[in-house]
Amino acid sequence: MLAGPHKNPASPRRSPLTATDIARIRDDFPVLHVRRGGKDLVYLDNAATSQKPRVVIDTERHYYEAQNANVHRGMHYLSEIATSAYEEARKKVQRFLGVKLSCEVIFTRGTTEGINLVAQTFGRQNIGEGDEIIISTMEHHSNIVPWQMLCEEKGAKLRVAPINDRGELLMEEFEKLFTPRTKLVSIVYISNALGTINPIREIIEIAHRHGVPALVDAAQAAPHLPIDFQELNCDFFVCSGHKMFGPTGIGVLCGRAELLNRMPPFMGGGDMILSVTFEKTTYNGLPYKFEAGTPNIAGVIGLGAAVDYIESIGMDRIAAYEHDLTQYGTQLLQSIDGVRLIGTAKEKAGALSFIMDSAHAHDIGQILSEQGVAIRAGHHCAQPVMQRFGVPATARASLAFYNTKEDLDALGAAIKKVKEVFD
Amino acid sequence: MAGNRALYEQVILEHNKKPRNFREMPDATRKLEGFNPLCGDHFTLYLKLSGDVIDDVSFSGAGCAISKSSASVMTTLVKGKTVKEAEALFAAFHKMVTSPPDAPVDEEKAGRLAVFAGVREFPVRIKCATLAWHTLLSALDGKSDVVSTE
């Protein structure tokens, strides 16, 4: 996973994470010590949401205890420090994601809102009847439905790039989808249902070769791979705070200022306004044009703390450690009779989706829970990809850097219990 | 309650493995789909009604152990019953699975349905257990839209 293109050249070379490092890291996450059946709960549902380190929880609490005020409008002390903490967090996110200008970082409620924002502004402005939007078979619903809504409104068409049986995008087929009517490409970086890491640079390059802007859905990538927005050279980039060890209800949309400046506002009210008369409203500049209303201030500041925390460990070390863990988990699941992995791409992150001959995903999830192992069972809000593989649902164990081989061993043992009950 | 041991009773596991009346019915007088969008459980229910009596009932499709065995047990119980009797069975079943986990189960009234009492501890599974029943009720009602648990 870390090989070549995924390595951030700017990140310092540090030694790999050791078992001692991981033990120390685990102590930073209070919820990892919730007990279940006399043992620490094994949390393997990170693709749904990650756990939060104490520093994120403390930062949110500190905001409410010592800084709580609205931002960008108060003349008083608290408002000044709240505004400063809020804007400081924007700079942290800017640095973390390698964004050129801080005004290109827009806070949203999450990945879903980021995609809807682009669909409802850039999309409505630039996509008309007969135009086409390219997505892929492995998108989750948040990167399908906003485009379907737009297509329905405008009479545009959705073109879907196919994947192979390993869950890899068929690049030749993808490129064949481009026509003079293609107006946008919106593709996931890492699939939440399959774990596939898409060749995102190549995807962006192909889109640009056809003169088409590209949106990268990085909800699953931002917590696991070093990201450099400028180096990726995409046009829009979205991710969620809660999947990257930050609070829920906060996310980021990054876009090129040149595009964002040309787009109309998304919602009206609050910070997106410069002046209002009953005749005319003048909109604020970036990034405030897209941050209507009082934002999730505590969430933004908490996300800044999460970014600091991840950086203190090092994204390159996290990715390398998770890569080893993914290999271990893959081999372990493949060694159990009656277990079949769905998604076996060559470039794969730590989302291990599987089905069993004898038990439905829901039953697997339930019995694993009884063994103290938390996974996700269902269609992972990616029903079309389930249909592609002809399964109604999968059980999915998804990893984060605080997981260990022992967690995966516990998963393996719990799966054997499922077999005992159902075989 | 002993968690999954109580949820996955032997009877449930046995019906899951060998579901009764698990077949399509080409000459059904009524046919209706039931769908749980949360987990993808998807069944088709077939009925042969003669007047007010359920002469034959069967189902096809795929789902978890709870939904499949519930559908299987249901078919064995309602075959030969009148519509009213089937509705009464559903009412007793629904009351049981939606009662608090520690409420006593009227074994006599619930009969073979008592094995599903374990789902009361897992609210998300109540939909699994009742999917086929809701589909049956809608089919008896003459509805033709897909029955959804959402």
Side-chain angles (χ1 to χ4, degrees):
Chain A
M1 191 156 84
L2 247 194
H6 298 304
K7 190 154 171 52
N8 184 346
S11 59
R13 282 187 177 280
R14 291 161 71 181
S15 56
L17 289 168
T18 63
T20 315
D21 292 328
I22 300 299
R24 207 173 298 138
I25 285 168
R26 287 181 66 82
D27 277 339
D28 293 335
F29 290 79
V31 83
L32 293 181
H33 302 292
V34 163
R35 308 286 285 175
R36 189 93 169 92
K39 291 179 284 189
D40 282 350
L41 178 76
V42 174
Y43 186 77
L44 294 170
D45 194 16
N46 295 287
T49 197
S50 61
Q51 298 300 346
K52 321 304 172 200
R54 190 175 287 106
V55 65
V56 168
I57 300 164
D58 287 349
T59 300
E60 280 214 70
R61 187 193 297 120
H62 178 70
Y63 164 72
Y64 285 119
E65 285 180 351
Q67 302 175 313
N68 179 50
N70 214 325
V71 289
H72 303 135
R73 55 198 71 169
M75 288 296 126
H76 53 82
Y77 167 73
L78 282 182
S79 183
E80 272 172 25
I81 54 171
T83 303
S84 150
Y86 182 86
E87 290 305 330
E88 192 55 39
R90 195 189 308 274
K91 286 189 189 127
K92 287 176 184 177
V93 172
Q94 177 200 354
R95 191 184 59 235
F96 180 67
L97 296 176
V99 181
K100 193 172 173 190
L101 308 167
S102 67
C103 72
E104 294 176 319
V105 173
I106 292 152
F107 289 117
T108 62
R109 281 192 299 144
T111 296
T112 301
E113 186 173 281
I115 296 172
N116 276 276
L117 190 158
V118 176
Q120 293 300 315
T121 57
F122 175 87
R124 291 178 84 183
Q125 192 177 45
N126 295 288
I127 296 168
E129 195 172 349
D131 287 341
E132 294 168 358
I133 300 162
I134 298 177
I135 60 166
S136 85
T137 304
M138 70 178 93
E139 303 308 321
H140 65 145
H141 298 165
S142 295
N143 199 23
I144 302 172
V145 180
W147 306 118
Q148 279 178 335
M149 289 162 68
L150 181 71
C151 286
E152 205 164 301
E153 180 188 326
K154 295 286 188 175
K157 276 186 237 155
L158 211 53
R159 309 288 308 268
V160 184
I163 58 175
N164 64 19
D165 290 342
R166 296 162 64 101
E168 294 161 330
L169 201 58
L170 294 167
M171 292 304 288
E172 273 184 28
E173 300 300 313
F174 165 69
E175 182 146 20
K176 280 185 203 158
L177 294 177
F178 285 84
T179 73
R181 303 305 305 262
T182 308
K183 289 290 159 65
L184 185 76
V185 169
S186 188
I187 301 273
V188 72
Y189 195 162
I190 297 180
S191 155
N192 71 324
L194 305 172
T196 307
I197 303 177
N198 277 320
I200 205 72
R201 284 162 189 76
E202 199 186 335
I203 288 168
I204 295 161
E205 202 187 300
I206 292 170
H208 287 174
R209 203 189 306 141
H210 291 268
V212 175
L215 183 152
V216 173
D217 173 350
Q220 299 294 340
H224 304 293
L225 294 177
I227 300 282
D228 188 323
F229 176 75
Q230 289 181 77
E231 190 250 321
L232 277 178
N233 196 27
C234 58
D235 302 277
F236 300 107
F237 175 99
V238 289
C239 60
S240 291
H242 74 100
K243 293 195 204 290
M244 42 198 289
F245 318 100
T248 59
I250 191 70
V252 178
L253 160 68
C254 307
R256 287 195 293 114
E258 179 206 348
L259 279 172
L260 294 172
N261 273 322
R262 285 206 303 261
M263 283 150 55
F266 178 39
M267 292 190 286
D271 260 357
M272 54 78 69
I273 294 153
L274 212 53
S275 72
V276 178
T277 66
F278 283 117
E279 288 71 41
K280 185 175 169 55
T281 294
T282 312
Y283 303 127
N284 208 340
L286 293 177
Y288 310 112
K289 184 167 89 172
F290 295 107
E291 290 181 2
T294 297
N296 179 359
I297 305 166
V300 166
I301 299 171
L303 178 59
V307 162
D308 281 344
Y309 182 80
I310 299 170
E311 285 187 327
S312 74
I313 300 167
M315 208 63 224
D316 50 346
R317 299 166 91 204
I318 288 172
Y321 175 76
E322 288 182 8
H323 178 64
D324 289 347
L325 213 54
T326 304
Q327 304 274 72
Y328 183 82
T330 303
Q331 281 162 15
L332 184 133
L333 289 180
Q334 281 174 335
S335 73
I336 305 173
D337 271 350
V339 169
R340 181 158 76 91
L341 276 172
I342 302 289
T344 49
K346 211 168 151 221
E347 291 286 326
K348 205 180 149 178
L352 304 166
S353 248
F354 62 97
I355 56 170
M356 291 176 74
D357 293 340
S358 54
H360 185 278
H362 241 191
D363 298 317
I364 300 170
Q366 182 101 47
I367 290 177
L368 261 50
S369 172
E370 199 54 31
Q371 307 301 310
V373 178
I375 60 149
R376 173 90 183 261
H379 50 58
H380 318 298
C381 298
Q383 281 177 303
V385 79
M386 297 289 115
Q387 285 152 16
R388 164 63 180 78
F389 284 92
V391 294
T394 69
R396 180 191 67 192
S398 52
L399 310 173
F401 58 84
Y402 43 64
N403 288 124
T404 60
K405 287 181 180 169
E406 288 74 31
D407 288 346
L408 289 163
D409 290 339
L411 170 72
I415 289 173
K416 283 175 186 151
K417 285 270 177 201
V418 177
K419 283 166 67 84
E420 277 172 31
V421 174
F422 280 91
D423 278 0
Chain B
M1 204 47 116
N4 287 315
R5 237 189 311 274
L7 180 63
Y8 293 104
E9 292 261 8
Q10 277 309 316
V11 177
I12 292 177
L13 293 171
E14 208 270 325
H15 272 268
N16 176 51
K17 217 172 225 178
K18 289 183 196 147
R20 319 295 195 268
N21 303 301
F22 190 66
R23 57 185 155 83
E24 292 179 12
M25 196 192 292
D27 57 343
T29 53
R30 289 191 194 172
K31 178 181 162 188
L32 194 60
E33 282 178 65
F35 181 50
N36 181 351
L38 188 74
C39 58
D41 288 355
H42 198 176
F43 292 112
T44 303
L45 187 80
Y46 305 88
L47 283 177
K48 210 179 282 173
L49 283 175
S50 125
D52 205 25
V53 175
I54 301 169
D55 260 358
D56 199 5
V57 54
S58 70
F59 73 109
S60 63
C64 66
I66 305 298
S67 62
K68 196 196 260 185
S69 58
S70 177
S72 171
V73 171
M74 180 191 81
T75 59
T76 64
L77 290 178
V78 301
K79 202 186 274 194
K81 298 267 191 324
T82 63
V83 171
K84 262 210 170 123
E85 285 167 333
E87 284 169 354
L89 270 172
F90 170 71
F93 181 61
H94 192 258
K95 194 176 166 194
M96 180 188 76
V97 294
T98 54
S99 64
D102 52 355
V105 174
D106 186 342
E107 302 268 350
E108 201 179 320
K109 207 168 186 184
R112 282 149 68 191
L113 294 169
V115 295
F116 292 99
V119 303
R120 301 180 303 173
E121 279 197 54
F122 308 98
V124 76
R125 305 309 293 274
I126 294 171
K127 286 177 181 174
C128 307
T130 53
L131 174 62
W133 284 95
H134 284 298
T135 313
L136 172 73
L137 265 275
S138 294
L140 291 174
D141 225 14
K143 290 183 180 147
S144 55
D145 288 341
V146 174
V147 177
S148 171
T149 55
E150 293 307 303

